């Protein structure tokens, strides 16, 4: 879930995408699947002006991937576990490509900050490696904000230990959204320009301190209800077992988000959106796929969606087999989403409910307008993010996720339309 306007495209080196590096240590942690309830991630989306880009150069690439399993909440909330301090204090965080700061609830939080008392909290007194910083920070979300102070301590993530990171101790979380969240905090995987108070993002720190060889990572979101795990975040590369080759690479167009150029969007063979090309953001912190209001309204009408509250659309579950594919032209390749991919199906009190995975969000200039390809898209396609180095620019690689439904052949992964 991303805080302010955070989303950035990262690029990956071909060898990492196609071959697992020799001698690489892959650390896999079994994750749980959380029972469905209320969705919270979309409500946290807020936008702000990005901070100034730090002067330090881009990290150097290398090779050792580390794996962080992800928990899945109603196929729209994915999070995993990290450790902070010595000994490590375990907390769950959303790994968010739309932001660049790490923050968690603090043991020192305000008495009336309800979310603090309902989540795991970091206790600086219980860590022998804790270093106070004291700088105040605040992140504004669409439905509230997080306030606190910056601190420094050791980060443990996916088997990587000893990284000294500056992170936020949240002292005040006034939004009720955080109260019901199934995660404790957020770990941003965006570019440095998005970091509040100029803090070095965790990914940059891992590379700079020699704990991660390559500024590359990938996400695999498991949406198979028969499987117990929620997926994996792979740091330092990607796991070829997660996707069906080939990977399609696109350059990052704005090095402040994981932003790429989208050539077109088609709904079936009739409706064309983003007709002249548009910007798109790959954001693991956004649950749904969002776009400009006028286009999303037309899209939902084409898939027989009925307006609900808060900009959501409901779909008759019985209509799913009849609904058209929604396809995105990226890097010259059509990426299909079938109705099974873009309709969120859940059951409450024995009643089936089907919601559209498309929601309107108007992001004003200069940052917008743009579409956000959130977890509804990234649950179907594995994304590899590569920050690049001094010789190569950032880019993103996409390929169909390796699930039983995707093994039916290329027609599932791609659609072909005239002109």
């Amino acid at each position: 879930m991303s805080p302010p306007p955070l989303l950035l495209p990262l690029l990956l080196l071909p060898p990492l995408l196609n071959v697992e590096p020799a001698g690489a240590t892959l650390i896999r942690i079994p994750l749980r699947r959380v029972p469905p309830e209320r969705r919270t991630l979309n409500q946290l989306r807020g936008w702000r002006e990005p901070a100034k880009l730090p002067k330090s150069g881009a990290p150097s690439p290398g090779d050792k991937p580390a794996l962080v399993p992800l928990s899945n909440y109603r196929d729209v909330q994915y999070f995993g576990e990290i450790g902070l301090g010595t000994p490590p204090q375990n907390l769950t965080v959303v790994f968010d490509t739309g932001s660049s700061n790490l923050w968690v609830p603090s043991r020192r939080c305000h008495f009336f900050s309800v979310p603090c008392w309902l989540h795991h909290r970091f206790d600086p007194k219980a860590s022998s490696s804790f270093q106070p910083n004291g700088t105040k920070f605040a992140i504004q979300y669409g439905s509230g904000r997080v306030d606190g102070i910056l601190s420094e301590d050791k980060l443990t993530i996916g088997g990587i230990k000893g990284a000294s990171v500056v992170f936020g101790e949240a002292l005040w979380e006034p939004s009720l959204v955080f109260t019901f969240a199934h995660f404790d905090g957020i770990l941003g995987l965006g570019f440095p320009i998005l970091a509040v108070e100029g803090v070095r993002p965790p990914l940059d720190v891992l590379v700079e301190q020699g704990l991660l060889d390559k500024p590359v990572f990938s996400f695999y979101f498991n949406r198979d209800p028969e499987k117990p795990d929620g997926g994996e975040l792979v740091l330092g590369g990607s796991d070829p077992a997660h996707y069906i080759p080939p990977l399609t690479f696109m350059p990052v167009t704005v090095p402040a988000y994981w932003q790429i150029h989208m050539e077109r969007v088609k709904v079936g063979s009739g409706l064309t959106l983003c007709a002249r090309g548009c910007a798109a953001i790959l954001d693991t912190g956004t649950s749904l796929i969002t776009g400009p209001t006028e286009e999303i309204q037309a899209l939902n009408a084409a898939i027989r969606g009925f307006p609900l509250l808060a900009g959501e659309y409901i779909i008759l579950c019985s209509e799913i087999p009849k609904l058209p594919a929604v396809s995105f032209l990226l890097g010259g390749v059509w990426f299909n989403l079938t109705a099974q991919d873009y309709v969120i199906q859940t059951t409450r009190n024995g009643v089936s409910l089907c919601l559209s995975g498309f929601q309107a969000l108007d992001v004003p200039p200069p940052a917008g307008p743009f579409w956000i390809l959130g977890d509804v898209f990234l649950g179907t396609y594995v994304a590899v993010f590569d920050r690049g180095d001094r010789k190569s620019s950032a880019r993103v690689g996409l390929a169909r996720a390796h699930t039983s439904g995707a093994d039916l052949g290329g027609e599932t992964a791609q659609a072909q339309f005239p002109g």
Side-chain angles (χ1 to χ4, degrees), residues 203-224:
L203 179 70
D204 296 66
V205 172
L206 292 176
V207 176
E208 290 167 0
Q209 296 183 9
L211 298 170
L212 187 67
D213 294 318
K214 295 179 182 292
V216 179
F217 59 92
S218 59
F219 277 93
Y220 164 63
F221 291 154
N222 184 5
R223 303 185 73 186
D224 185 345

Side-chain angles (χ1 to χ4, degrees), residues 16 42 89 117 160 191 204 206 233 251 253 279 325 348 364 366 404:
L16 287 178
N42 267 2
Q89 300 175 40
W117 303 100
I160 298 176
F191 286 73
D204 296 66
L206 292 176
L233 160 63
T253 56
R348 294 181 184 175
S404 57

